[in-house]
Amino acid sequence: MMLRLRSRFTGLNKRDLSPADVQRADLAADTEQTNMSKLRRFPGSVSKTNDKSANLGGDSQVVVSDSRATTVGQGSKNGVKISSGMGNLVNILVADFQYAKGFIQVIDGFFTIPQRLSKTASSTNSTTTFASLLAAQSSSSISRRQSNDSTANNDIDTTARITVFIPSNSAFSSFSEDTIGTLSPTEIDKLLNAHVVIAKEGEEIGYLPNLHDGQTLKAQSGADLKINVTTTTTSDGSVDGEYYVNGAKIVQANLVLENGVAHVVEKVLSAPPPVVTSGAIASSCCTLGSWAASMGAVGVAAFFSFW
């Protein structure tokens, strides 16, 4: 299918486009007949795109709609936003323009190319503390692998089909810099693994529409992560909902990654160990829990970017 994007792509041949431009165009076309009925389904829906570059175990990259009232906001024309890389959201300006092979949804911006977890976390202002822990783990893992250390952790950035619950910077504010700064490589591995789930073959990656009330996920640390969903109906009849992981609210959902998805949560799901200073054990804020307890298509729909 030829995409005619109303933007700087107009009048260009494919050979004039950069690889990033081509990937954005692939993200703008999915492999299903995606209409507004699907996109508005609570809490949204997952749409597979034509972007085959994702590290998802052979699956193509996705974009994720969010129909929750809190995300959509007041005055939204079509009652849905669509998330791509970095969790960036676009609005639908013109909905369900039907043609022979599917539907066209005209949107107000290009989808963002999904990146690795480390780049996503470091580029999101609210998750830079988690990004620093990822960087420390990566550096440690490289040196341990070079020394043939069997304890070297697999790189989360390159592991396919991950779901990551990233604690916000404010979630770490209860811990002193000494607590975070003196963690050993093993302790960093444990802390990060308590927030990472890897979907096995046949299991769904944890995009928000794939999470359900009462569901239990298994973190890489071995801890159970219990999903709870609370729903309300607003005055205009739309449905709103909040998602919680072991009691920690998801405050930003569907940061689509090159190899899965991340959600920002308001609490650390597994507290770092206390720091021993001058024979005394510093507090590690027990309210956040312990290490173990807290974690081909029938038709084609195109998302056209409209500038």
Side-chain angles (χ1 to χ4, degrees), residues 24-37:
R24 275 189 285 268
D26 285 338
L27 281 170
D30 77 14
T31 56
E32 302 166 342
Q33 292 197 16
T34 302
N35 57 18
M36 289 304 295
S37 176

Side-chain angles (χ1 to χ4, degrees), residues 49-65:
T49 74
N50 286 347
D51 178 13
K52 308 298 184 183
S53 66
N55 178 18
L56 296 173
D59 290 338
S60 61
Q61 189 54 269
V62 308
V63 293
V64 187
S65 69

Side-chain angles (χ1 to χ4, degrees), residues 140 144 179-190 273:
S140 171
R144 282 186 279 171
T179 301
I180 299 298
T182 59
L183 294 177
S184 70
T186 300
E187 289 166 343
I188 291 175
D189 286 348
K190 289 180 179 179

